[in-house]
mmCIF file of all heavy atoms in Angstrom:
data_model
loop_
_atom_site.group_PDB
_atom_site.id
_atom_site.type_symbol
_atom_site.label_atom_id
_atom_site.label_comp_id
_atom_site.label_asym_id
_atom_site.label_seq_id
_atom_site.Cartn_x
_atom_site.Cartn_y
_atom_site.Cartn_z
ATOM 1 N N ILE A 154 39.457 63.459 105.798
ATOM 2 C CA ILE A 154 39.424 64.679 106.608
ATOM 3 C C ILE A 154 39.572 64.345 108.088
ATOM 4 O O ILE A 154 39.972 65.192 108.895
ATOM 5 C CB ILE A 154 38.131 65.489 106.363
ATOM 6 C CG1 ILE A 154 38.290 66.922 106.906
ATOM 7 C CG2 ILE A 154 36.914 64.795 106.953
ATOM 8 C CD1 ILE A 154 37.146 67.846 106.548
ATOM 9 N N ALA A 155 39.298 63.092 108.452
ATOM 10 C CA ALA A 155 39.509 62.683 109.847
ATOM 11 C C ALA A 155 40.981 62.774 110.239
ATOM 12 O O ALA A 155 41.301 62.988 111.410
ATOM 13 C CB ALA A 155 38.984 61.263 110.063
ATOM 14 N N ASP A 156 41.893 62.630 109.258
ATOM 15 C CA ASP A 156 43.319 62.836 109.546
ATOM 16 C C ASP A 156 43.559 64.273 109.989
ATOM 17 O O ASP A 156 44.379 64.542 110.879
ATOM 18 C CB ASP A 156 44.152 62.524 108.305
ATOM 19 C CG ASP A 156 44.162 61.044 107.966
ATOM 20 O OD1 ASP A 156 43.232 60.602 107.253
ATOM 21 O OD2 ASP A 156 45.079 60.341 108.406
ATOM 22 N N TYR A 157 42.864 65.197 109.343
ATOM 23 C CA TYR A 157 42.965 66.606 109.727
ATOM 24 C C TYR A 157 42.382 66.826 111.119
ATOM 25 O O TYR A 157 42.990 67.491 111.975
ATOM 26 C CB TYR A 157 42.239 67.465 108.694
ATOM 27 C CG TYR A 157 41.977 68.876 109.131
ATOM 28 C CD1 TYR A 157 43.008 69.807 109.222
ATOM 29 C CD2 TYR A 157 40.691 69.291 109.461
ATOM 30 C CE1 TYR A 157 42.761 71.111 109.625
ATOM 31 C CE2 TYR A 157 40.431 70.583 109.861
ATOM 32 C CZ TYR A 157 41.469 71.498 109.942
ATOM 33 O OH TYR A 157 41.224 72.779 110.345
ATOM 34 N N PHE A 158 41.195 66.246 111.388
ATOM 35 C CA PHE A 158 40.579 66.385 112.702
ATOM 36 C C PHE A 158 41.498 65.847 113.803
ATOM 37 O O PHE A 158 41.557 66.409 114.896
ATOM 38 C CB PHE A 158 39.247 65.640 112.749
ATOM 39 C CG PHE A 158 38.190 66.211 111.834
ATOM 40 C CD1 PHE A 158 37.203 65.381 111.298
ATOM 41 C CD2 PHE A 158 38.154 67.558 111.508
ATOM 42 C CE1 PHE A 158 36.221 65.881 110.468
ATOM 43 C CE2 PHE A 158 37.181 68.079 110.666
ATOM 44 C CZ PHE A 158 36.206 67.236 110.145
ATOM 45 N N ALA A 159 42.215 64.745 113.506
ATOM 46 C CA ALA A 159 43.076 64.130 114.523
ATOM 47 C C ALA A 159 44.281 64.996 114.860
ATOM 48 O O ALA A 159 44.872 64.856 115.948
ATOM 49 C CB ALA A 159 43.539 62.755 114.046
ATOM 50 N N GLU A 160 44.681 65.886 113.947
ATOM 51 C CA GLU A 160 45.827 66.759 114.209
ATOM 52 C C GLU A 160 45.444 68.008 114.993
ATOM 53 O O GLU A 160 46.304 68.691 115.548
ATOM 54 C CB GLU A 160 46.475 67.169 112.887
ATOM 55 C CG GLU A 160 47.156 66.013 112.162
ATOM 56 C CD GLU A 160 47.753 66.440 110.828
ATOM 57 O OE1 GLU A 160 47.550 67.609 110.430
ATOM 58 O OE2 GLU A 160 48.432 65.615 110.182
ATOM 59 N N LEU A 161 44.156 68.318 115.056
ATOM 60 C CA LEU A 161 43.727 69.572 115.683
ATOM 61 C C LEU A 161 43.991 69.646 117.183
ATOM 62 O O LEU A 161 44.437 70.691 117.671
ATOM 63 C CB LEU A 161 42.241 69.813 115.402
ATOM 64 C CG LEU A 161 41.869 70.171 113.963
ATOM 65 C CD1 LEU A 161 40.355 70.286 113.830
ATOM 66 C CD2 LEU A 161 42.536 71.475 113.542
ATOM 67 N N PRO A 162 43.712 68.600 117.987
ATOM 68 C CA PRO A 162 43.906 68.760 119.428
ATOM 69 C C PRO A 162 45.314 69.174 119.802
ATOM 70 O O PRO A 162 45.513 70.085 120.626
ATOM 71 C CB PRO A 162 43.560 67.362 119.970
ATOM 72 C CG PRO A 162 42.606 66.802 118.963
ATOM 73 C CD PRO A 162 43.115 67.305 117.645
ATOM 74 N N ALA A 163 46.327 68.542 119.187
ATOM 75 C CA ALA A 163 47.711 68.906 119.509
ATOM 76 C C ALA A 163 48.020 70.327 119.058
ATOM 77 O O ALA A 163 48.703 71.081 119.761
ATOM 78 C CB ALA A 163 48.680 67.920 118.851
ATOM 79 N N ALA A 164 47.488 70.690 117.880
ATOM 80 C CA ALA A 164 47.748 72.036 117.356
ATOM 81 C C ALA A 164 47.140 73.098 118.247
ATOM 82 O O ALA A 164 47.665 74.217 118.346
ATOM 83 C CB ALA A 164 47.196 72.150 115.937
ATOM 84 N N GLU A 165 46.038 72.758 118.927
ATOM 85 C CA GLU A 165 45.352 73.749 119.754
ATOM 86 C C GLU A 165 45.651 73.586 121.233
ATOM 87 O O GLU A 165 45.056 74.270 122.075
ATOM 88 C CB GLU A 165 43.843 73.651 119.519
ATOM 89 C CG GLU A 165 43.472 73.968 118.079
ATOM 90 C CD GLU A 165 41.987 73.848 117.836
ATOM 91 O OE1 GLU A 165 41.210 73.976 118.802
ATOM 92 O OE2 GLU A 165 41.599 73.620 116.693
ATOM 93 N N GLY A 166 46.588 72.681 121.559
ATOM 94 C CA GLY A 166 47.014 72.554 122.942
ATOM 95 C C GLY A 166 46.123 71.699 123.821
ATOM 96 O O GLY A 166 46.212 71.771 125.054
ATOM 97 N N TYR A 167 45.250 70.876 123.225
ATOM 98 C CA TYR A 167 44.399 69.992 124.024
ATOM 99 C C TYR A 167 45.145 68.716 124.383
ATOM 100 O O TYR A 167 46.007 68.241 123.652
ATOM 101 C CB TYR A 167 43.132 69.614 123.247
ATOM 102 C CG TYR A 167 42.171 70.754 123.050
ATOM 103 C CD1 TYR A 167 41.759 71.126 121.775
ATOM 104 C CD2 TYR A 167 41.650 71.443 124.143
ATOM 105 C CE1 TYR A 167 40.855 72.165 121.578
ATOM 106 C CE2 TYR A 167 40.746 72.485 123.969
ATOM 107 C CZ TYR A 167 40.354 72.835 122.684
ATOM 108 O OH TYR A 167 39.474 73.858 122.512
ATOM 109 N N GLY A 168 44.741 68.112 125.509
ATOM 110 C CA GLY A 168 45.298 66.842 125.931
ATOM 111 C C GLY A 168 44.301 65.725 125.729
ATOM 112 O O GLY A 168 43.838 65.479 124.620
ATOM 113 N N ALA A 169 43.945 65.027 126.796
ATOM 114 C CA ALA A 169 42.994 63.921 126.741
ATOM 115 C C ALA A 169 41.614 64.430 126.336
ATOM 116 O O ALA A 169 41.339 65.634 126.416
ATOM 117 C CB ALA A 169 42.936 63.230 128.097
ATOM 118 N N PRO A 170 40.701 63.522 125.914
ATOM 119 C CA PRO A 170 39.363 63.950 125.477
ATOM 120 C C PRO A 170 38.617 64.813 126.487
ATOM 121 O O PRO A 170 37.827 65.684 126.093
ATOM 122 C CB PRO A 170 38.646 62.613 125.240
ATOM 123 C CG PRO A 170 39.737 61.685 124.836
ATOM 124 C CD PRO A 170 40.921 62.084 125.655
ATOM 125 N N SER A 171 38.860 64.596 127.765
ATOM 126 C CA SER A 171 38.159 65.388 128.792
ATOM 127 C C SER A 171 38.523 66.864 128.719
ATOM 128 O O SER A 171 37.803 67.711 129.264
ATOM 129 C CB SER A 171 38.471 64.843 130.181
ATOM 130 O OG SER A 171 39.868 64.902 130.439
ATOM 131 N N THR A 172 39.644 67.184 128.062
ATOM 132 C CA THR A 172 40.072 68.587 127.971
ATOM 133 C C THR A 172 39.544 69.289 126.717
ATOM 134 O O THR A 172 39.724 70.501 126.582
ATOM 135 C CB THR A 172 41.605 68.689 127.965
ATOM 136 O OG1 THR A 172 42.124 68.110 126.759
ATOM 137 C CG2 THR A 172 42.197 67.959 129.162
ATOM 138 N N LEU A 173 38.937 68.527 125.792
ATOM 139 C CA LEU A 173 38.445 69.139 124.555
ATOM 140 C C LEU A 173 37.296 70.088 124.860
ATOM 141 O O LEU A 173 36.310 69.708 125.515
ATOM 142 C CB LEU A 173 37.981 68.062 123.576
ATOM 143 C CG LEU A 173 39.044 67.085 123.063
ATOM 144 C CD1 LEU A 173 38.407 66.039 122.159
ATOM 145 C CD2 LEU A 173 40.149 67.827 122.336
ATOM 146 N N ALA A 174 37.384 71.319 124.397
ATOM 147 C CA ALA A 174 36.361 72.323 124.668
ATOM 148 C C ALA A 174 35.049 71.939 123.999
ATOM 149 O O ALA A 174 35.020 71.524 122.837
ATOM 150 C CB ALA A 174 36.818 73.689 124.179
ATOM 151 N N ALA A 175 33.961 72.087 124.729
ATOM 152 C CA ALA A 175 32.642 71.815 124.168
ATOM 153 C C ALA A 175 32.387 72.733 122.976
ATOM 154 O O ALA A 175 32.635 73.935 123.047
ATOM 155 C CB ALA A 175 31.574 72.019 125.235
ATOM 156 N N GLY A 176 31.903 72.157 121.887
ATOM 157 C CA GLY A 176 31.618 72.948 120.693
ATOM 158 C C GLY A 176 32.786 73.138 119.766
ATOM 159 O O GLY A 176 32.610 73.635 118.650
ATOM 160 N N SER A 177 34.012 72.762 120.202
ATOM 161 C CA SER A 177 35.167 72.906 119.321
ATOM 162 C C SER A 177 35.118 71.821 118.250
ATOM 163 O O SER A 177 34.499 70.759 118.420
ATOM 164 C CB SER A 177 36.466 72.801 120.117
ATOM 165 O OG SER A 177 36.631 71.489 120.631
#
Side-chain angles (χ1 to χ4, degrees):
I154 196 172
D156 291 86
Y157 166 72
F158 295 151
E160 292 178 355
L161 290 176
E165 297 179 24
Y167 291 124
S171 60
T172 67
L173 297 177
S177 67

